[in-house]
Amino acid sequence: MRRALITGVTGQDGSYLAEFLLSREYEVHGIIRRASSFNTSRLDHVYEDPHKPGARLFLHYGDLSSGEQVTNLIYNLRPDEIYHLAAQSHVKVSFDIPEYTGDTTGLGTVRILEAARRSGVKTRFYQASSSEMFGSAAPPQNEKTPFLPRSPYGTAKVYAYWMTVNYREAYGLFACNGILFNHESPRRGETFVTRKITRAIAQILCGNQKKLYLGNLDAKRDWGYAPEYVEAMWLILQQEQPDDYVIGTGETHSVKEFVEEAFGYVGLDWREYLEFDSKYVRPTEVDALLADPAKARDRLSWKPKVTFSELVRIMVDADLEAAGMQPIGEGMRILQARFSDWHRWRISVSDVVRSFEGAAVENRHA
């Protein structure tokens, strides 16, 4: 049984990755931050009491601001694979807390790389790099495109990227970067623009919300479906040689297009509900991100199955169901047609979003 260690296991990507690895008979260990309340709702559907015979998902307290616990975990667990997904990952927020972003997103990566090196454990390391590193570089962007970040988050990710490359070349670590373009799902945090849009639609239809406030509608992104992207992470670590890969769909769509698609799916005119709010505009904007995923297609045999409009339908349906409404249903049909047993609608989508929404409501009223 292979053993994996995941940082950021309670996030969107971490929870999908844990679910995927468990389906492949891994023993999965995740690092979570100590807090006064539980933040594990995205994992509740796969979590078992660790005392139960046969349990394969284990959670450990740790923090990227200190390397001591991470070093101890790597040394004691001796994982075959390490997936480093944890970070302060909200681009707009990174302008408000740049020092914290640099410490967790940038230096946090170094702490894990150094822990892996010092432990002497023969492991494979995955670094969650980001398309935000490309910033103002002209699209399409691939593995040879220069990095021109436009935010503290993007800059911290560039540092983490090159440190991963450096540890690979200097110490012979099997260390890889996955440069993932925007990947969304019903498990996306509600402050991220895509989830903010789809959740607002459900709340508007329920009568709990009247307006949706957004910033720049012209920004273009390469949007894919997150569960497919964690499969790409796994594939990157299964190769004979460590390398870096761009993961994306090869299509770009504006925030406005996402709004039009989402509101149109439920028969609403978005212009009646959308308001501009300057507080959501970044000090420096990234105009367009567009992946050239040719290397991943050729070497990993990876390509996305879910289209942009299908992604929107999955997310809207999930938020409608989480709000207690009957979903239109196309999202569920898409997953039934495109995915194997590890990712299904009821267990992997609707039940998780209900749990996640309940936890969010509880935290807001705490």
Side-chain angles (χ1 to χ4, degrees):
M1 185 182 296
R2 284 192 283 182
R3 181 176 293 161
L5 176 63
I6 304 172
T7 71
V9 71
T10 59
Q12 170 190 253
D13 292 3
S15 64
Y16 281 126
L17 180 61
E19 190 177 359
F20 173 73
L21 294 177
L22 288 170
S23 76
R24 303 191 75 88
E25 301 301 322
Y26 275 67
E27 180 181 294
V28 178
H29 294 259
I31 298 178
I32 62 174
R33 284 178 296 179
R34 182 72 177 90
S36 58
S37 60
F38 290 110
N39 183 30
T40 58
S41 55
R42 292 185 179 97
L43 292 169
D44 286 348
H45 65 298
V46 292
Y47 185 77
E48 292 182 315
D49 187 327
H51 302 97
K52 181 180 178 180
R56 291 186 290 113
L57 175 60
F58 305 91
L59 303 180
H60 309 269
Y61 288 122
D63 196 308
L64 294 182
S65 63
S66 173
E68 181 181 4
Q69 175 66 356
V70 174
T71 300
N72 291 338
L73 278 174
I74 293 174
Y75 182 80
N76 292 322
L77 293 175
R78 311 188 75 80
D80 299 287
E81 298 167 4
I82 299 173
Y83 296 88
H84 177 40
L85 312 183
Q88 191 303 101
S89 58
H90 198 290
V91 177
K92 178 63 171 64
V93 171
S94 76
F95 286 98
D96 301 323
I97 48 173
E99 182 179 354
Y100 176 77
T101 300
D103 186 38
T104 57
T105 306
L107 289 175
T109 302
V110 178
R111 293 182 184 111
I112 296 176
L113 285 165
E114 185 65 4
R117 182 184 76 85
R118 287 178 176 271
S119 71
V121 175
K122 189 175 182 180
T123 187
R124 297 188 171 201
F125 175 83
Y126 173 87
Q127 162 62 16
S129 290
S130 168
S131 59
E132 287 289 331
M133 300 188 306
F134 293 121
S136 58
Q141 295 103 358
N142 59 30
E143 294 83 1
K144 296 182 180 179
T145 302
F147 299 134
L148 298 171
R150 300 274 286 169
S151 67
Y153 169 73
T155 303
K157 281 291 188 181
V158 169
Y159 174 78
Y161 172 94
W162 284 118
M163 289 302 290
T164 300
V165 172
N166 183 252
Y167 270 70
R168 180 172 71 217
E169 295 178 348
Y171 303 117
L173 266 63
F174 195 107
C176 307
N177 284 286
I179 308 174
L180 272 56
F181 280 63
N182 293 63
H183 45 290
E184 317 297 316
S185 79
R187 296 187 198 176
R188 194 60 140 146
E190 60 187 46
T191 60
F192 289 83
V193 66
T194 52
R195 183 81 198 292
K196 185 176 180 180
I197 293 167
T198 60
R199 188 175 180 278
I201 288 171
Q203 295 304 308
I204 287 169
L205 290 173
C206 285
N208 298 329
Q209 187 171 330
K210 293 182 178 180
K211 293 291 184 179
L212 167 63
Y213 296 92
L214 296 177
N216 181 14
L217 296 182
D218 297 323
K220 294 182 177 181
R221 296 293 184 268
D222 185 328
W223 275 307
Y225 187 47
E228 298 188 290
Y229 286 56
V230 301
E231 293 183 358
M233 296 176 191
W234 179 78
L235 286 170
I236 288 171
L237 292 195
Q238 309 316 304
Q239 304 307 300
E240 291 186 6
Q241 299 296 327
D243 207 346
D244 309 314
Y245 296 87
V246 160
I247 304 296
T249 69
E251 293 184 12
T252 189
H253 298 273
S254 67
V255 175
K256 182 180 178 181
E257 287 178 79
F258 197 104
V259 170
E260 291 173 336
E261 190 76 31
F263 275 84
Y265 179 53
V266 298
L268 295 178
D269 184 349
W270 63 274
R271 288 164 292 196
E272 296 180 10
Y273 302 95
L274 187 66
E275 296 284 348
F276 173 78
D277 190 334
S278 60
K279 75 178 182 180
Y280 297 120
V281 177
R282 303 172 186 175
T284 48
E285 183 59 84
V286 173
D287 295 325
L289 294 174
L290 172 62
D292 172 10
K295 182 177 176 181
R297 182 182 62 243
D298 296 342
R299 298 191 186 181
L300 305 178
S301 298
W302 180 90
K303 60 180 180 180
K305 300 183 289 288
V306 175
T307 67
F308 171 73
S309 62
E310 290 171 338
L311 164 67
V312 175
R313 283 159 171 71
I314 291 169
M315 294 183 66
V316 172
D317 273 356
D319 272 316
L320 289 175
E321 192 165 302
M325 303 181 67
Q326 180 66 36
I328 296 172
E330 289 187 26
M332 180 170 60
R333 289 191 288 272
I334 290 164
L335 293 195
Q336 289 174 334
R338 304 292 169 81
F339 278 86
S340 61
D341 289 340
W342 86 267
H343 182 64
R344 311 302 290 173
W345 180 263
R346 186 183 64 80
I347 296 175
S348 297
V349 181
S350 60
D351 287 359
V352 179
V353 176
R354 281 197 190 97
S355 177
F356 185 47
E357 280 289 288
V361 171
E362 182 180 336
N363 288 336
R364 283 197 294 270
H365 288 85

